[in-house]
Amino acid sequence: MTIYQFLVLFLLWVCLPHFCSPEIMFRRTPVPQKRTLGTRVPRSDGKILHRQKRGWMWNQFFLLEEYTGSDYQYVGKLHSDQDKGDGSLKYILSGDGAGTLFIIDEKTGDIHATRRIDREEKAFYTLRAQAINRRTLRPVEPESEFVIKIHDINDNEPTFPEEIYTASVPEMSVVGTSVVQVTATDADDPSYGNSARVIYSILQGQPYFSVEPETGIIRTALPNMNRENREQYQVVIQAKDMGGQMGGLSGTTTVNITLTDVNDNPPRFPQNTIHLRVLESSPVGTAIGSVKATDADTGKNAEVEYRIIDGDGTDMFDIITEKDTQEGIITVKKPLDYESRRLYTLKVEAENTHVDPRFYYLGPFKDTTIVKISVEDVDEPPVFSRSSYLFEVHEDIEVGTIIGTVMARDPDSTSSPIRFSLDRHTDLDRIFNIHSGNGSLYTSKPLDRELSQWHNLTVIAAEINNPKEMTRVAVFVRILDVNDNAPQFAVFYDTFVCENARPGQLIQTISAVDKDDPLGGQKFFFSLAAVNPNFTVQDNEDNTARILTRKNGFNRHEISTYLLPVVISDNDYPIQSSTGTLTIRVCACDSQGNMQSCSAEALLLPAGLSTGALIAILLCIIILLVIVVLFAALKRQRKKEPLIFYNDEGGGEEDTQAFDIGTLRNPAAVEEKKLRRDIIPETLFIPRRTPTAPDNTDVRDFIHERLKEHDLDPTAPPYDSLATYAYEGTDSLADSLSSLESSTTDSDQNYDYLREWGPRFHKLAEMYGGGDSDRDS
């Protein structure tokens, strides 16, 4: 125990009155009782006083926590005024901690604490006391409740919930800006003394930060703290009880404070001038280099936007801001040419995108630099005078005619001669060719617009000194039309004229087509090659013409077909014409002009029969002929091989009474030279003689043997024939229903059971079971 704790215990012991008299005498309180206790006491007024039964009134006991003595700590004394000191009374203690933490001397009533008590574990204990007669074990005092309250001492230091705190505050904050609040707790009794009154102080972190003693709020203590100079701070805070006075207990915690970034620094280029190089052959969009402005800030406060604000290359180059690296990527905006210009100058600006208005006075938040770009020479391929060429030529030009010329040059300062060639993949038919020296295109085969109107060629220009440097260009050749095709009939015409046609009657409308495509459109003229007495042509002046009759009385028996030459001419230069011949058949027609027949043989048929009727008659004749042929074939087959019909139900192969199976058992009965009807005689082999089966051979075994022989027979099918072998089996157990032999039986048969088979057999039952009715009739 420290000296301070000893002094506190001593002061409490001296000042508290209830600790000065640990023995508590319980006074009696009047309770109305019918029964009196004790002796009568005379009084001056002549009245007799009686002793009344009194109850106990308990006060609180007070016990100091954290007792460190070697003996049990004395709590107090219980005593009844009926205790005469002869040991006749017994004191009993019960309740919180009775018998373990608190014990009582049952004779004297002295209460002791057996061990050190911590108020922070339990602040008070509730117990019950009773005094009983030791001999009779009857209570002499009613049981009563009392409290032992634990007095607090300053034995707990303040503690923080976190050993290490993490906090942040923006840099450049004003003095007094709140950073974070820390709070310590003290387990001592806050209602008694200053044991739990905590005061905060800063042990480490000055002069940058301060702490409020009562609240524990940490604030900035210096102005304009710059993150770029120092970002991390460690502050140690102490919490001390007893109001911070000497002798108080204390606890500490650490607060790690980070200065967060604000945009208080402008971007800066590390160099005033930057040099870059680019090949003149670099295509548009090529990145040739980068520039970067450094910014001491971080995050979005360091984001920079680059732009070209001046220079002689603003139209040739562009700059793109790369967000990830915060660099300015310079790219080619237009094609470069070393021979035209070799050096460009750009003025590039970098500016913050997020500017804080509070720090405008530190600006401007932008910077510039000069970028010089040198263009380097490369061996460039030839350059054509045009991006593509279009040549037009008539299809009737002679072979070898020049249709156009392509031109190309070497753009390098040391100009190299050019050689031209055709990409033969674009001219597989080799219709064109090119002069390698001057690029003149000429024809090597005749042209035909009707076969191909367009030719898409590719011309290659390569340097003679460096053939790898080559350029391609597209050349489109359009073939112009020349009137070199005569018009012809548009379709094949199947033309006929009725026998009863009248003069001037329209029998056909014709039109024409032409492979040529004149600028003014097609225009055709129709006429007859010579004057025709039977027909004439009338031009409709719309590229069609009508064929008309000039007489009546056409007779197909005399002339069945007319040939009419028609001349078709176009209207282009030079005029092209052709003669098409129409074949006109003479046909029989009805009154409406519908064709019925055009053949001369039809005149022999009786009048009035239509085409459908004639077809029906022919079909009937054909069917009759087929029936006659089939009937003759069947009759012929019956003569060659008689057929056996069995109308009896029979009893199978074992029923030898129905038919003779000797033929089956003796195949030798078959004619040896009898030919088969199902094969061609030239391919027929000589039939093999089958051994005769004995009479006792079973029919089933006999058929199996014949089937096996048939399988091994080279003259047997497969061909268009069918050989069927079957075994019917034993005879049926059921009697025959046939009435063929019913007249030979003498006994009468009863067919009444047929009625039980259902409605379908009622008729049979009436026919065979109605014996009585027959006799009646």
Side-chain angles (χ1 to χ4, degrees):
M1 181 183 293
T2 62
I3 297 175
Y4 174 73
Q5 290 176 335
F6 180 81
L7 291 175
V8 171
L9 291 174
F10 180 78
L11 290 174
L12 291 174
W13 180 264
V14 172
C15 298
L16 295 176
H18 44 267
F19 285 105
C20 296
S21 56
E23 180 180 351
I24 299 178
M25 298 297 294
F26 303 101
R27 65 180 180 84
R28 309 266 180 174
T29 56
V31 178
Q33 297 287 343
K34 293 182 179 180
R35 184 178 179 182
T36 61
L37 298 175
T39 59
R40 296 179 180 179
V41 180
R43 294 187 60 180
S44 60
D45 56 0
K47 295 183 179 180
I48 298 176
L49 297 178
H50 298 276
R51 182 187 295 272
Q52 302 290 334
K53 185 176 182 180
R54 295 165 295 175
W56 287 355
M57 177 177 288
W58 301 92
N59 293 326
Q60 286 186 345
F61 287 107
F62 292 91
L63 184 63
L64 196 65
E65 70 170 332
E66 303 295 343
Y67 173 71
T68 59
S70 59
D71 297 332
Y72 288 167
Q73 185 179 5
Y74 183 72
V75 179
K77 184 179 183 66
L78 300 179
H79 185 72
S80 175
D81 56 1
Q82 293 195 22
D83 188 358
K84 297 192 176 18
D86 55 0
S88 61
L89 294 183
K90 180 181 179 181
Y91 295 96
I92 299 174
L93 188 65
S94 62
D96 292 342
T100 56
L101 180 58
F102 300 104
I103 59 175
I104 188 171
D105 190 334
E106 62 182 15
K107 293 181 179 181
T108 62
D110 292 330
I111 303 174
H112 290 82
T114 61
R115 60 179 173 83
R116 185 172 60 181
I117 298 176
D118 189 0
R119 187 202 67 83
E120 285 70 42
E121 292 182 1
K122 193 173 180 64
F124 63 91
Y125 297 86
T126 303
L127 295 97
R128 294 181 298 277
Q130 190 177 28
I132 63 173
N133 188 289
R134 187 181 296 275
R135 185 174 58 83
T136 62
L137 299 180
R138 291 183 178 180
V140 297
E141 297 286 356
E143 186 180 50
S144 185
E145 189 175 80
F146 67 97
V147 175
I148 299 176
K149 188 173 183 181
I150 310 302
H151 261 307
D152 182 48
I153 64 172
N154 189 20
D155 59 342
N156 291 281
E157 71 276 2
T159 59
F160 290 93
E162 301 287 343
E163 293 184 3
I164 298 177
Y165 288 85
T166 302
S168 62
V169 63
E171 64 173 330
M172 307 298 289
S173 297
V174 297
V175 175
T177 301
S178 174
V179 180
V180 68
Q181 182 179 14
V182 294
T183 304
T185 57
D186 196 317
D188 294 326
D189 189 358
S191 63
Y192 180 76
N194 292 328
S195 297
R197 185 186 172 198
V198 179
I199 296 298
Y200 301 93
S201 61
I202 184 168
L203 300 182
Q204 178 183 327
Q206 296 174 332
Y208 306 104
F209 299 95
S210 62
V211 63
E212 292 184 357
E214 300 291 339
T215 62
I217 297 176
I218 301 175
R219 300 182 182 275
T220 58
L222 283 182
N224 300 327
M225 286 191 294
N226 196 339
R227 184 197 65 83
E228 288 71 35
N229 295 332
R230 183 178 177 182
E231 184 176 4
Q232 301 288 339
Y233 294 87
Q234 191 176 73
V235 179
V236 178
I237 302 297
Q238 182 190 65
K240 190 174 185 180
D241 59 11
M242 297 299 293
Q245 299 176 4
M246 286 188 61
L249 302 178
S250 63
T252 60
T253 187
T254 301
V255 182
N256 293 326
I257 301 175
T258 303
L259 295 183
T260 58
D261 185 58
V262 298
N263 192 7
D264 58 341
N265 293 280
R268 290 288 181 264
F269 283 105
Q271 299 174 348
N272 294 328
T273 304
I274 300 173
H275 294 274
L276 298 176
R277 296 180 180 275
V278 59
L279 296 175
E280 64 170 335
S281 60
S282 299
V284 174
T286 302
I288 63 175
S290 64
V291 295
K292 184 174 183 180
T294 59
D295 194 324
D297 298 321
T298 60
K300 69 176 185 178
N301 296 320
E303 291 182 1
V304 178
E305 187 72 27
Y306 297 91
R307 64 179 64 90
I308 299 174
I309 60 175
D310 198 4
D312 54 12
T314 55
D315 58 339
M316 301 298 294
F317 301 94
D318 200 358
I319 190 168
I320 302 172
T321 302
E322 180 62 42
K323 297 297 183 183
D324 295 335
T325 61
Q326 289 297 303
E327 292 180 334
I329 309 299
I330 298 177
T331 60
V332 178
K333 190 176 181 180
K334 290 183 179 181
L336 303 173
D337 187 7
Y338 171 82
E339 289 71 27
S340 299
R341 187 160 190 166
R342 306 180 181 182
L343 181 64
Y344 294 91
T345 302
L346 304 175
K347 187 176 183 180
V348 178
E349 179 185 74
E351 182 180 12
N352 280 138
T353 55
H354 302 281
V355 181
D356 195 334
R358 296 176 300 171
F359 306 106
Y360 277 154
Y361 67 94
L362 299 175
F365 287 86
K366 62 178 68 175
D367 194 16
T368 59
T369 187
I370 301 299
V371 179
K372 293 185 177 181
I373 302 174
S374 299
V375 180
E376 296 183 349
D377 186 29
V378 295
D379 190 4
E380 298 176 87
V383 178
F384 283 95
S385 60
R386 300 179 189 176
S387 59
S388 63
Y389 293 86
L390 173 62
F391 300 136
E392 293 183 346
V393 58
H394 287 88
E395 61 179 330
D396 60 346
I397 63 173
E398 297 181 358
V399 174
T401 303
I402 296 176
I403 62 174
T405 302
V406 297
M407 291 183 293
R409 64 177 182 85
D410 184 8
D412 297 323
S413 56
T414 58
S415 180
S416 174
I418 306 299
R419 184 175 185 176
F420 299 94
S421 61
L422 266 177
D423 186 352
R424 287 303 176 185
H425 292 91
T426 61
D427 185 26
L428 297 176
D429 296 331
R430 297 182 175 269
I431 299 176
F432 300 93
N433 212 335
I434 189 170
H435 290 288
S436 61
N438 58 16
S440 297
L441 275 169
Y442 60 92
T443 60
S444 57
K445 289 183 179 181
L447 303 178
D448 189 354
R449 189 200 67 87
E450 286 69 40
L451 294 178
S452 179
Q453 186 176 356
W454 287 92
H455 295 273
N456 300 327
L457 309 176
T458 298
V459 175
I460 302 173
E463 296 181 7
I464 295 179
N465 298 332
N466 187 9
K468 294 183 179 180
E469 295 296 333
M470 61 179 61
T471 306
R472 297 170 178 266
V473 69
V475 177
F476 305 101
V477 180
R478 181 182 179 184
I479 310 301
L480 301 179
D481 185 45
V482 174
N483 192 25
D484 56 348
N485 291 278
Q488 298 175 351
F489 282 132
V491 295
F492 173 77
Y493 295 101
D494 185 12
T495 307
F496 71 93
V497 61
C498 295
E499 289 182 310
N500 55 359
R502 300 182 302 274
Q505 183 174 343
L506 174 65
I507 62 172
Q508 185 68 61
T509 300
I510 59 176
S511 61
V513 293
D514 194 335
K515 294 181 180 180
D516 296 323
D517 186 16
L519 297 177
Q522 299 285 4
K523 179 63 176 176
F524 302 124
F525 301 96
F526 301 89
S527 62
L528 292 179
V531 177
N532 192 295
N534 302 311
F535 306 97
T536 185
V537 173
Q538 184 177 5
D539 196 331
N540 296 327
E541 297 183 358
D542 60 354
N543 292 340
T544 63
R546 296 186 297 169
I547 306 299
L548 304 177
T549 59
R550 298 186 64 181
K551 70 171 187 174
N552 58 2
F554 292 94
N555 191 335
R556 56 180 167 159
H557 184 65
E558 297 177 357
I559 301 177
S560 60
T561 303
Y562 291 92
L563 298 179
L564 182 64
V566 178
V567 178
I568 310 173
S569 304
D570 57 21
N571 194 31
D572 203 358
Y573 180 82
I575 295 176
Q576 299 288 341
S577 64
S578 66
T579 300
T581 301
L582 283 178
T583 301
I584 304 174
R585 295 179 298 159
V586 180
C587 299
C589 303
D590 57 12
S591 58
Q592 284 77 26
N594 299 320
M595 180 182 65
Q596 291 182 341
S597 176
C598 296
S599 60
E601 290 77 6
L603 295 174
L604 303 177
L605 295 176
L609 292 178
S610 62
T611 304
L614 293 175
I615 294 174
I617 292 172
L618 291 176
L619 289 176
C620 291
I621 294 173
I622 293 172
I623 293 172
L624 290 174
L625 291 175
V626 171
I627 293 174
V628 171
V629 171
L630 290 176
F631 182 76
L634 289 175
K635 188 174 181 180
R636 185 178 180 182
Q637 185 176 2
R638 288 175 183 174
K639 292 180 179 180
K640 291 183 179 181
E641 185 177 346
L643 300 178
I644 301 174
F645 295 90
Y646 296 94
N647 293 328
D648 194 358
E649 184 178 4
E653 288 82 351
E654 296 184 2
D655 187 6
T656 57
Q657 297 177 359
F659 59 92
D660 185 11
I661 63 171
T663 303
L664 287 176
R665 295 185 182 274
N666 186 17
V670 182
E671 295 179 10
E672 294 182 355
K673 295 183 179 180
K674 191 173 184 179
L675 299 180
R676 296 174 60 133
R677 299 191 307 272
D678 53 349
I679 59 174
I680 301 174
E682 289 77 7
T683 61
L684 184 64
F685 290 87
I686 299 174
R688 293 186 297 112
R689 180 176 298 277
T690 305
T692 306
D695 294 338
N696 58 353
T697 302
D698 187 80
V699 176
R700 181 195 302 270
D701 298 335
F702 171 77
I703 291 179
H704 286 329
E705 291 178 2
R706 294 298 176 266
L707 180 61
K708 185 183 299 184
E709 292 173 0
H710 213 335
D711 291 337
L712 300 176
D713 187 3
T715 63
Y719 36 78
D720 294 338
S721 65
L722 179 64
T724 303
Y725 297 90
Y727 178 69
E728 185 176 359
T730 59
D731 55 339
S732 174
L733 297 178
D735 294 334
S736 176
L737 294 179
S738 175
S739 62
L740 296 176
E741 297 180 359
S742 60
S743 59
T744 61
T745 59
D746 298 332
S747 60
D748 295 334
Q749 297 184 14
N750 186 9
Y751 297 97
D752 292 338
Y753 62 88
L754 294 175
R755 299 182 184 275
E756 300 175 359
W757 290 6
R760 297 183 179 180
F761 296 91
H762 286 175
K763 188 66 175 176
L764 288 175
E766 292 177 1
M767 292 175 62
Y768 293 97
D772 297 337
S773 61
D774 293 339
R775 286 192 296 266
D776 294 340
S777 61

